[in-house]
Amino acid sequence: MNDKARVTLIGAGPGDPELITVKAVNALAEADIVLFDSLINIELLNYAVKAIKINVGKRKGYQPYSQDTINELIVENAFKYGHVVRLKGGDPFIFGRGSEELDYVNNFEIPFTIIPGISSSLAVPANVGIPLTKRGIAASFWVITGCTSKKEISEDIKIAAQSTATLVILMGMHKLKEIISVLLENDLGNKPVAIIQNGTTTNEKTGVGTVNNIMAIVTLKKLASPAIIVIGDVVKERHRLKEFCENISYKHLLPA
Ligand SMILES: C[S@@+](CC[C@H](N)C(=O)[O-])C[C@H]1O[C@@H](n2cnc3c(N)ncnc32)[C@H](O)[C@@H]1O
């Protein structure tokens, strides 16, 4: 039993290795063991200089570790090695099951810290110049799972489709046809849609169209998971902003 047992739940950000917090980097440097998910950028593990590193994430649709096993691994390794970092893509509390893991850790009275991450739901659209809200265009946005724990399309998509909100759908690629049907039932065939795969990484791919033609664009561009689906008039704003961003370099503001 290790009396230094503790757990730090960290959000690794959306994929670009520079989009992680300083606090997360400092915690990784102190980790004895890192249990990481597949969506994190592997370069981030370099910060965990003294840690054992184990990939507990899903690989090519195959999930070698069940959620129960991951929960147990966190606790067992905290008692065995001390400081466990649980490193998850984006923010650990946005469809990340981070809260469930901490519930389990809490049963063993192991102290824990939460370090939020930049969620892909916000960063991936922003990186291609899509503002999720804009005065006069969208007063709110909904971040919705495309696929619930029952493997069904979320009822919230139906409700959100009846509002003026921007819809940001995660884990929705396998349900895209059903999502489109819901939108068409609400007479939203001309609504702009953007699909961004591997956002903020060097493999980023984007397809833009409308509800009516997005399926054809997905096929043409071979878009697949992991991807974010953004539905709303804000998608039309992206050109101007992207062009503007590309003309600015922030590099000179970073430490050498
Ligand atoms: C289990 S959820 C985890 C979300 C994560 N906790 C977050 O805050 O970004 C996984 C889904 O997030 C989305 N996702 C995560 N990273 C992404 C990226 N770099 N590009 C596009 N979609 C991404 C995809 O919809 C993917 O299926």
Side-chain angles (χ1 to χ4, degrees):
M1 190 87 87
N2 194 319
D3 59 5
K4 295 217 167 61
R6 66 184 171 113
V7 173
T8 308
L9 176 66
I10 298 184
D16 178 339
E18 288 185 308
L19 290 177
I20 188 168
T21 63
V22 175
K23 198 164 187 162
V25 167
N26 291 341
L28 279 166
E30 289 175 359
D32 294 311
I33 176 159
V34 180
L35 302 175
F36 62 96
D37 277 352
S38 298
L39 271 181
I40 66 125
N41 190 312
I42 219 80
E43 280 180 42
L44 297 176
L45 297 176
N46 293 334
Y47 291 119
V49 278
K50 57 174 179 135
I52 301 164
K53 292 135 189 146
I54 304 177
N55 183 353
V56 295
K58 214 188 262 180
R59 274 156 271 167
K60 292 184 181 148
Y62 166 65
Q63 182 118 39
Y65 297 89
S66 68
Q67 188 60 52
D68 286 346
T69 308
I70 293 171
N71 294 349
E72 284 160 16
L73 279 175
I74 296 171
V75 168
E76 277 167 22
N77 283 298
F79 286 135
K80 193 166 172 192
Y81 297 108
H83 185 198
V84 175
V85 161
R86 179 69 177 106
L87 188 61
K88 290 175 157 286
D91 180 87
F93 284 174
I94 307 287
F95 303 125
R97 306 191 75 172
S99 169
E100 288 167 53
E101 293 179 9
L102 291 185
D103 285 344
Y104 187 80
V105 166
N106 213 16
N107 293 331
F108 297 84
E109 296 181 4
I110 299 171
F112 61 79
T113 310
I114 301 156
I115 303 184
I118 302 178
S119 176
S120 64
S121 54
L122 311 177
V124 167
N127 196 53
V128 295
I130 300 174
L132 296 183
T133 65
K134 187 155 185 181
R135 194 178 281 244
I137 298 177
S140 70
F141 63 89
W142 290 50
V143 178
I144 312 174
T145 176
C147 191
T148 65
S149 54
K150 291 184 188 147
K151 306 279 174 224
E152 286 162 5
I153 178 173
S154 166
E155 282 295 312
D156 286 1
I157 294 178
K158 297 177 191 168
I159 303 166
Q162 288 158 19
S163 77
T164 55
T166 304
L167 273 65
V168 181
I169 304 177
L170 274 62
M171 297 174 282
M173 290 306 276
H174 296 299
K175 296 281 181 192
L176 189 57
K177 278 194 186 140
E178 284 176 62
I179 293 168
I180 290 171
S181 301
V182 170
L183 297 168
L184 290 176
E185 276 163 27
N186 287 278
D187 209 14
L188 293 171
N190 292 323
K191 204 42 105 182
V193 181
I195 296 184
I196 310 124
Q197 179 183 341
N198 292 319
T200 81
T201 75
T202 47
N203 300 321
E204 182 177 281
K205 270 206 300 189
T206 306
V208 179
T210 62
V211 171
N212 283 328
N213 66 15
I214 196 68
M215 214 58 222
I217 291 163
V218 165
T219 310
L220 188 75
K221 294 203 153 191
K222 297 191 174 67
L223 291 167
S225 298
I228 302 258
I229 305 165
V230 185
I231 302 156
D233 291 331
V234 287
V235 169
K236 287 193 277 190
E237 296 298 304
R238 78 194 184 288
H239 286 308
R240 217 158 50 85
L241 281 176
K242 185 77 179 153
E243 208 173 284
F244 174 70
C245 293
E246 274 163 3
N247 289 329
I248 296 178
S249 168
Y250 295 102
K251 292 271 181 209
H252 65 286
L253 296 174
L254 296 170

